[in-house]
Amino acid sequence: SQRLQGQPDGPERDELVGKLLDRINDAIPLTNKEKFTAYRYQNILSGPRSQARNTVSNLFQTMVTRPATIAVKASQDWVGTALKGAERTTYFRDVPIYYRNMLNSTADAVEAMKGAWRGKLAIQNPDLAQLRALRGNKLPKKYTVITRAMEAQDRFFQTLISSGEYAVQKSHGVADDIARTKAEEVAKYSLFRSVTDAKNATGQGALLSKIDQFTDTITKIGESHPSVRWFVPFVRTPMNITKQFIEYSP
């Protein structure tokens, strides 16, 4: 746990988190209820449509949404500079920089994918990460094929986005450690948007914060009354999709 202090976001930190969770799970055996819940989620996600939706969504976020967001911000910066003399923080040249370094990081993405498939990296999906049985990788491998496959996909695309964003940050003269941390934050937000902001501390807007309030409420109800999760097995993922739809709507 001491090594985690001050460790920047990235594969090394994720591996340390995974090892720490393994130690905790070794000390606290899984209950039959936790095992059953994990098996149930495996079955829910076992349909080919679930895997296809995850793949298509991640691919779209990586190849379209993130570079499009950079381009839009560059346009806003250009207009702001022309009208108000504001300092620019995003440039049109950032888009090809992102694509070039994103594509060049395929080998690293494959390694991250392998690590997730082997169960060496902690699950980051906001819904699945709540399940200790899956988070600690203590179930027999044959019962975690689906979640490991989904996490492997997520890790692959997360690495691609992070590498592209890291190159963009470095092109702006950002220090290496800050650039890596920022890149990891952007990658996780692009795929998961898992951090809720019910009090609008980030200035995301009243409507999005209301959605986060609803998300937190349902999550807490599910924790207090597990029977609710039979009818609402996934909360954060659909709410994050709703937020993204609103964010990118006109």
Side-chain angles (χ1 to χ4, degrees), residues 12-250:
E12 293 182 1
R13 179 182 176 84
D14 292 338
E15 187 171 354
L16 288 175
V17 171
K19 290 181 179 179
L20 179 60
L21 290 174
D22 282 344
R23 292 177 62 184
I24 294 173
N25 281 280
D26 285 339
I28 306 175
L30 293 173
T31 65
N32 289 331
K33 182 179 179 180
E34 288 177 316
K35 293 179 182 179
F36 177 77
T37 301
Y39 297 155
R40 175 171 168 264
Y41 272 78
Q42 289 283 321
N43 289 329
I44 293 174
L45 296 171
S46 62
R49 287 186 178 182
S50 297
Q51 300 296 323
R53 278 194 294 266
N54 191 58
T55 302
V56 172
S57 175
N58 286 347
L59 183 63
F60 191 83
Q61 297 294 334
T62 304
M63 302 298 295
V64 179
T65 304
R66 184 55 197 164
T69 299
I70 294 174
V72 170
K73 287 184 176 180
S75 300
Q76 293 174 336
D77 270 14
W78 183 80
V79 173
T81 299
L83 297 180
K84 303 179 180 179
E87 183 180 355
R88 297 201 63 176
T89 59
T90 309
Y91 302 86
F92 291 107
R93 67 171 183 267
D94 292 346
V95 176
I97 291 175
Y98 170 86
Y99 272 119
R100 181 171 60 253
N101 287 274
M102 180 266 291
L103 294 174
N104 288 339
S105 67
T106 303
D108 292 335
V110 170
E111 289 303 313
M113 181 176 65
K114 290 178 180 178
W117 173 251
R118 293 167 182 165
K120 294 183 178 180
L121 302 178
I123 289 179
Q124 293 190 330
N125 181 283
D127 284 307
L128 298 180
Q130 298 180 64
L131 304 179
R132 192 167 69 95
L134 297 179
R135 189 175 63 236
N137 296 314
K138 290 305 176 184
L139 291 172
K141 293 292 186 181
K142 63 181 179 181
Y143 294 122
T144 61
V145 171
I146 301 301
T147 51
R148 283 188 290 117
M150 188 167 287
E151 181 65 22
Q153 288 184 40
D154 292 342
R155 290 287 182 167
F156 178 83
F157 289 105
Q158 181 180 330
T159 302
L160 293 180
I161 295 175
S162 178
S163 298
E165 185 63 28
Y166 171 76
V168 171
Q169 294 295 322
K170 290 297 293 181
S171 71
H172 295 173
V174 178
D176 191 72
D177 56 339
I178 298 176
R180 289 190 184 281
T181 299
K182 177 64 176 177
E184 285 294 326
E185 290 175 352
V186 168
K188 290 179 180 179
Y189 182 79
S190 297
L191 296 184
F192 305 120
R193 282 173 169 78
S194 56
V195 179
T196 56
D197 180 18
K199 296 183 178 180
N200 197 23
T202 60
Q204 65 177 347
L207 179 56
L208 297 182
S209 291
K210 286 292 183 182
I211 294 175
D212 284 344
Q213 289 178 19
F214 177 79
T215 302
D216 290 342
T217 299
I218 297 299
T219 300
K220 291 178 181 178
I221 292 175
E223 292 173 351
S224 302
H225 306 280
S227 59
V228 173
R229 300 310 294 268
W230 278 91
F231 304 98
V232 190
F234 298 100
V235 180
R236 292 181 179 271
T237 300
M239 289 299 99
N240 287 338
I241 293 174
T242 301
K243 286 180 63 178
Q244 184 181 29
F245 176 80
I246 295 173
E247 287 176 333
Y248 289 98
S249 62

